[in-house]
Amino acid sequence: MAVEHPMQSSTIVDVLEKVLDKGVVIAGDIRVGIADVELLTIKIRLIVASVDKAKEIGMDWWETDPYLSSKANENTQALEEENKLLKDRLDALESQMNTNNRITKESKSEG
């Protein structure tokens, strides 16, 4: 009596689908040293996952990179505008403080 073993074959599409669904992390370090003195360390981290999986685990850096996203560019422009307004307010406050200090010094020197 022959024993039959079920053959399980996976196509590259099946494997890729599983990898993208679950995600794969490859990590490694390269260290170069002479006589127990470390001269260089290179840390390599690679993650292969679908966009949905990456977002799920908190990796969405491409959404805020102005070179990769038009939304990030809009956000950058808004931040630059807010930064300019804050600098203007700071300049006005510093100018007001300088005026108040000058008045205080003048009144002390008169008295």
Side-chain angles (χ1 to χ4, degrees):
M1 194 163 162
V3 177
E4 290 186 29
H5 296 285
M7 296 290 285
Q8 207 176 39
S9 66
S10 296
T11 65
I12 186 126
V13 174
D14 295 334
V15 172
L16 186 59
E17 185 178 337
K18 286 181 183 177
V19 165
L20 291 177
D21 184 45
K22 301 292 182 190
V24 172
V25 176
I26 301 169
D29 295 340
I30 300 171
R31 293 188 178 142
V32 177
I34 297 176
D36 293 332
V37 176
E38 192 172 308
L39 300 174
L40 175 69
T41 299
I42 300 173
K43 293 182 177 271
I44 300 169
R45 306 293 183 259
L46 172 69
I47 183 167
V48 178
S50 66
V51 171
D52 294 334
K53 186 65 174 181
K55 283 184 177 182
E56 184 181 314
I57 61 175
M59 294 183 67
D60 58 356
W61 50 265
W62 61 88
E63 291 182 349
T64 57
D65 189 329
Y67 294 107
L68 300 174
S69 171
S70 59
K71 289 180 186 176
N73 194 26
E74 292 170 5
N75 190 31
T76 302
Q77 289 173 349
L79 288 174
E80 286 174 357
E81 190 173 316
E82 182 181 9
N83 192 21
K84 184 184 179 319
L85 291 172
L86 289 172
K87 283 181 180 180
D88 291 345
R89 285 183 61 192
L90 181 61
D91 288 344
L93 287 170
E94 287 177 342
S95 175
Q96 185 179 5
M97 281 181 56
N98 288 337
T99 302
N100 289 343
N101 287 341
R102 195 175 329 113
I103 291 171
T104 304
K105 286 179 182 178
E106 288 173 0
S107 65
K108 284 184 180 180
S109 65
E110 290 176 1

